[in-house]
Amino acid sequence: MPYNYHLQFDEKWSVHENVHSNSLHVLAQDYLEIKDFPFVLVYQNNQDRNVTLATNQPLDEQNNGRKWLFSVEDVISFTWENGSHEIFYFFHESATNEIFKFWLYHIVLPIKLSIEQVYKFLHAGAVEVKGHPILFMAPSFGGKSTLTDYFIQMGHPLITDDKMATFEKNGIFYSVPSHPYHRPYRQVEVLGYECENSATEIKPIHAIYMLEKGGPEDECTIRPLKGIEKFSRLHEGGEMNFSFFTKDYVQYLSRLANNVNVFSIKVPHDLARLHEVYGTIVEHCESIKSE
């Protein structure tokens, strides 16, 4: 269940079927008129493709019927309506089933769930240590995928490969398992390998580790982050922070900073010392479990 949603592909619901709130139907459509989405909010390069996020209404209009388009030029397009339990897709000339699954799991589901304020996302890898979720955050190519992969190889359940879905309830911040696909190497449009040992339960975030690159001979050290540095580092690691809800997202990060353990860890720039980084984090994580 990616992001705690049950996905059903290409079979329409019966009009009499009771639709569960955590179900999504992913349905092929025969035709898509992109001009029906004239309000472009994002146009950028992603995975060496030109991608567009657009809507059918100006953002200053509040309408429950708002529709969205996420289009990957010459490859695939997805559409959905706010609050709907359906996502439609249309294959363009360069689409394949593998590419379809990559864009759906890694990009489109996080976008839809962000826009509809279901979750707030962080740019992080995450695993469980003795049942406790811990997050690794770093800039792109900062080592979080490598470290996440090492923890997986050591038998720890994968929570997320790259986009960490979170939410707050009664002052507690939770991590939501994403999907079982892990990409330790960031080839474009690659779904990743299916991790057999994947987390399935929503649990409170235990700790967040901000990775700092050290020199090959540097000591692996951990220090707590506090105050503005703590908030700033979380803000730098924001994900799916669209301009139309930035204020709400920043307020969320501020509450997260006030309620979750965040640490900086210096990671020696030497793959042969990953076992040392691993051991340091596991020992530290276990030491804070009663906090």
Side-chain angles (χ1 to χ4, degrees):
M1 291 179 64
Y3 303 107
N4 200 39
Y5 278 80
H6 174 72
L7 300 187
Q8 184 172 334
F9 291 86
D10 289 333
E11 295 182 9
K12 286 189 174 295
W13 274 310
S14 162
V15 294
H16 302 295
E17 188 171 350
N18 183 23
V19 180
H20 192 275
S21 61
N22 277 31
S23 295
L24 285 173
H25 271 197
V26 184
L27 303 165
Q29 58 184 0
D30 297 327
Y31 179 74
L32 174 65
E33 193 67 80
I34 292 181
K35 68 178 180 61
D36 291 340
F37 300 85
F39 301 98
V40 176
L41 304 178
V42 177
Y43 179 78
Q44 63 183 21
N45 182 277
N46 190 326
Q47 307 294 307
D48 294 333
R49 305 279 194 184
N50 291 325
V51 301
T52 302
L53 176 66
T55 183
N56 65 330
Q57 303 168 5
L59 285 180
D60 56 3
E61 293 182 9
Q62 300 298 320
N63 190 316
N64 292 332
R66 179 183 300 281
K67 295 182 179 180
W68 296 89
L69 165 74
F70 181 86
S71 182
V72 185
E73 188 174 9
D74 298 327
V75 180
I76 192 166
S77 295
F78 296 85
T79 63
W80 65 90
E81 184 175 319
N82 269 4
S84 167
H85 293 275
E86 296 177 325
I87 299 175
F88 296 92
Y89 64 92
F90 178 82
F91 276 23
H92 300 290
E93 56 194 60
S94 300
T96 66
N97 284 330
E98 187 81 359
I99 288 176
F100 158 67
K101 288 194 289 184
F102 166 81
W103 287 103
L104 176 66
Y105 284 105
H106 289 282
I107 309 295
V108 171
L109 285 175
I111 288 177
K112 173 179 168 61
L113 296 172
S114 293
I115 286 174
E116 296 180 4
Q117 301 286 296
V118 177
Y119 303 128
K120 301 291 191 298
F121 281 81
L122 299 173
H123 188 200
V127 297
E128 288 186 359
V129 175
K130 292 191 174 180
H132 298 291
I134 64 170
L135 281 56
F136 307 127
M137 297 181 67
S140 295
F141 306 105
K144 64 183 179 299
S145 295
T146 300
L147 190 58
T148 301
D149 188 62
Y150 192 89
F151 270 77
I152 293 170
Q153 301 308 319
M154 297 301 291
H156 297 269
L158 170 69
I159 298 175
T160 187
D161 169 80
D162 185 59
K163 294 178 176 60
M164 181 73 258
T166 73
F167 69 92
E168 175 188 11
K169 185 176 181 180
N170 298 327
I172 300 174
F173 291 78
Y174 292 86
S175 67
V176 182
S178 59
H179 51 74
Y181 299 107
H182 176 47
R183 298 191 302 148
Y185 309 103
R186 287 294 193 244
Q187 302 100 323
V188 297
E189 288 185 317
V190 170
L191 179 63
Y193 73 84
E194 189 168 355
C195 181
E196 294 182 0
N197 186 18
S198 294
T200 58
E201 296 181 33
I202 296 172
K203 297 180 180 180
I205 297 171
H206 187 58
I208 300 174
Y209 292 93
M210 301 288 184
L211 310 187
E212 292 186 4
K213 281 188 178 180
E217 305 299 325
D218 284 350
E219 184 180 355
C220 180
T221 57
I222 294 177
R223 64 181 178 90
L225 296 181
K226 298 180 180 180
I228 190 63
E229 183 185 13
K230 187 179 184 182
F231 170 79
S232 297
R233 296 291 295 276
L234 287 171
H235 189 264
E236 290 169 3
E239 183 81 5
M240 302 294 167
N241 180 17
F242 298 108
S243 60
F244 44 91
F245 55 67
T246 294
K247 181 178 179 181
D248 179 68
Y249 187 82
V250 168
Q251 292 173 343
Y252 179 84
L253 291 182
S254 180
R255 297 193 301 275
L256 177 68
N258 288 330
N259 289 277
V260 174
N261 291 305
V262 182
F263 304 93
S264 174
I265 177 168
K266 182 174 287 187
V267 179
H269 191 58
D270 182 353
L271 291 177
R273 296 182 64 189
L274 267 179
H275 69 284
E276 180 184 338
V277 178
Y278 166 79
T280 300
I281 292 176
V282 169
E283 182 180 1
H284 182 267
C285 175
E286 292 176 352
S287 75
I288 63 171
K289 62 184 178 182
S290 61
E291 293 185 8

